[in-house]
Amino acid sequence: MKKVKYLILGGGPSGLTLAHSLIDRGVPQDQVVLLEKEPTVGGLCRSQQVDGAPLDIGGGHFLDVRKTDVLDFLFRFMPREEWNSFDRISRIRLRGQEIDHPLESNLWQFSKSDQVDYLESIARSGCIRGEPMPEKFADWVTWKLGDRIAEEYMLPYNRKIWSMDPAKLGTYWLHKLPDVSFRETLRSCLEGSPFGALPAHGTFLYPKNHGYGEVWRRMGDALGDSLVTDCPVQSIDLATRTVNDHWQAETIISTIPWTLWPGFCDIPREVSKAIKQLSVVAIDVEYVPETMSNPSHWIYEPDEAISHHRYLLRSNFCTNARGYWTETNAIRSRPTTGFRHHNEFAYPVNTLGKLEAVAHVLAWAAGNGVLGIGRWGKWEHMNSDIAVAEAMGEAARITSEITNK
Ligand SMILES: Cc1cc2nc3c(=O)[nH]c(=O)nc-3n(C[C@H](O)[C@H](O)[C@H](O)COP(=O)(O)OP(=O)(O)OC[C@H]3O[C@@H](n4cnc5c(N)ncnc54)[C@H](O)[C@@H]3O)c2cc1C
């Protein structure tokens, strides 16, 4: 039996950052252990060489960091000079052409008659007419953007990515979508140029000579003996906080999906019920060797007759790479003979009732000396920079609690 102060489950960005941040704050390295199921760390941010160049097997990953402490932390493992900077080019395929994202800032790229069509529909929307904001995502889309954008883009695209009825999604996560007002949309059409809020990753960094996984791989290497790979969590004794009958901890920090927990230990009925409410989308990433003649870094595909929902043109952001990859909700995937990576846990789904379910699970876990952080601990769409920021904050909180005791 190995006894440690902190046992971290999962070696994605959240677990890796937490391990380093605890050690940075003075916790002896032999008191921090991270268990990772796979042979390599990085979680959804891992990369693999495919057809002579890196491919991000968890989907398209770009670094857009607002916080300097997060950036400084990442540059410790991969210095700034090892990253290229890009001005984002992302497009949406609609009405037989490609329009820059976000659509509401770029309707001016359509013909005049298409612009009138979309503007008229937005002008009739519930949001403009002063109707109260709906609670269901599907109703919100039409309320906010009008029925044309809803029916031609937002609803089909969301049906593809989630493979579920958008009426089951809540609206509490919509601050993540670009918020462009009708006035800004009108102005962009009149001026013939984009106007309004820029989406995330307006500019982004991507490694010059590697895939996105490299920074996390180096972070794992720097953990030395604190990192145990090829070690899937299989059992947890909550009374003694012992994992796999081998690792005993004062505190367990879980970054792995709660939906796996019923396979590890006995869970009270009410907590099991909450866990059953957490839904997840699996994504298949598939490589296509043909290089597209197109300047975009990525393209959104709302056409429901096509299985994938996004193209990632790696030839436009990976050095010396050809080809592109696609992202598809695994339920919609078709048989392939080419390279495909299946991500069983890709998107936590923002269903109605999720926030209450997660709060219930976290409260039960905390009562058992287990903290939940990261994409799966919080069941939240956090980008990797946010996962890093959260884990750094959690390390500060845990260590200051100890100092104050
Ligand atoms: C398609 C897609 C595109 C994205 N694009 C971007 C982007 O452009 N920019 C960006 O910053 N972020 C992006 N993200 C988000 C980014 O992937 C996450 O923020 C990040 O991976 C969260 O890290 P995490 O450690 O919380 O979770 P994960 O990366 O999922 O890590 C969890 C880890 O737990 C391990 N694990 C699971 N089960 C067990 C077990 N039983 N025992 C031990 N270990 C286990 C897994 O193997 C994994 O290593 C994207 C995500 C997706 C799906």
Side-chain angles (χ1 to χ4, degrees), residues 69-198:
D69 56 344
V70 171
L71 210 48
D72 290 345
F73 175 72
L74 294 173
F75 287 167
R76 239 167 78 187
F77 303 96
M78 189 182 262
R80 173 67 185 88
E81 52 276 16
E82 289 197 56
W83 301 80
N84 275 327
S85 175
F86 296 90
D87 289 329
R88 164 178 172 161
I89 307 176
S90 61
R91 293 189 170 154
I92 303 161
R93 287 199 172 157
L94 212 52
R95 295 198 179 184
Q97 65 184 95
E98 286 179 6
I99 299 294
D100 281 319
H101 176 84
L103 195 58
E104 309 91 279
S105 299
N106 292 296
L107 290 179
W108 61 276
Q109 294 174 0
F110 281 112
S111 69
K112 290 276 182 249
S113 68
D114 282 342
Q115 287 181 46
V116 170
D117 213 18
Y118 284 118
L119 288 172
E120 192 185 23
S121 154
I122 303 174
R124 282 199 309 260
S125 68
C127 165
I128 300 297
R129 293 209 312 259
E131 290 172 7
M133 182 175 136
E135 278 181 19
K136 290 182 180 168
F137 174 71
D139 301 335
W140 177 87
V141 167
T142 312
W143 173 85
K144 171 79 179 157
L145 302 169
D147 50 5
R148 285 280 148 87
I149 295 183
E151 281 159 21
E152 292 177 28
Y153 168 46
M154 287 296 278
L155 292 175
Y157 186 79
N158 278 282
R159 277 195 294 268
K160 285 179 80 172
I161 194 165
W162 308 116
S163 276
M164 78 161 51
D165 178 359
K168 294 192 173 143
L169 303 175
T171 47
Y172 51 86
W173 55 284
L174 296 178
H175 58 279
K176 304 227 177 223
L177 301 182
D179 186 13
V180 183
S181 69
F182 183 41
R183 194 183 173 85
E184 288 168 327
T185 303
L186 266 180
R187 194 163 159 182
S188 69
C189 287
L190 287 170
E191 292 185 0
S193 60
F195 202 80
L198 273 177

Side-chain angles (χ1 to χ4, degrees), residues 9-16 35-38 40-46 58-64 201 212 231-234 255-257 260 264 283 285 298 309-310 327 343 345-347 373-377 381-387:
L9 312 182
S14 301
L16 290 166
L35 307 181
E36 166 56 47
K37 162 179 87 143
E38 301 289 340
T40 48
V41 295
L44 284 166
C45 298
R46 280 173 300 155
H61 277 78
F62 308 96
L63 184 65
D64 176 21
H201 309 323
Y212 191 62
C231 183
V233 172
Q234 280 162 331
T255 75
I256 66 179
L260 298 174
F264 304 150
I283 295 284
V285 168
W298 63 93
H309 54 266
R310 192 159 77 128
E327 295 171 4
N343 298 283
F345 290 92
Y347 287 113
I373 67 164
R375 195 169 178 90
W376 307 110
H381 286 193
M382 49 175 85
N383 268 353
S384 57
D385 59 308
I386 305 297

Side-chain angles (χ1 to χ4, degrees), residues 288-342:
V288 182
E290 286 79 42
T291 299
M292 276 194 217
S293 167
N294 186 313
S296 306
H297 300 114
W298 63 93
I299 302 170
Y300 300 102
E301 177 57 86
D303 183 349
E304 288 179 277
I306 295 171
S307 57
H308 48 266
H309 54 266
R310 192 159 77 128
Y311 305 84
L312 279 299
L313 284 67
R314 75 166 181 177
S315 54
N316 292 336
F317 55 87
C318 270
T319 312
N320 296 329
R322 63 179 187 137
Y324 64 93
W325 72 78
T326 58
E327 295 171 4
T328 312
N329 182 314
I331 292 176
R332 301 172 54 89
S333 269
R334 295 175 185 155
T336 179
T337 49
F339 174 88
R340 173 183 285 172
H341 183 83
H342 175 75

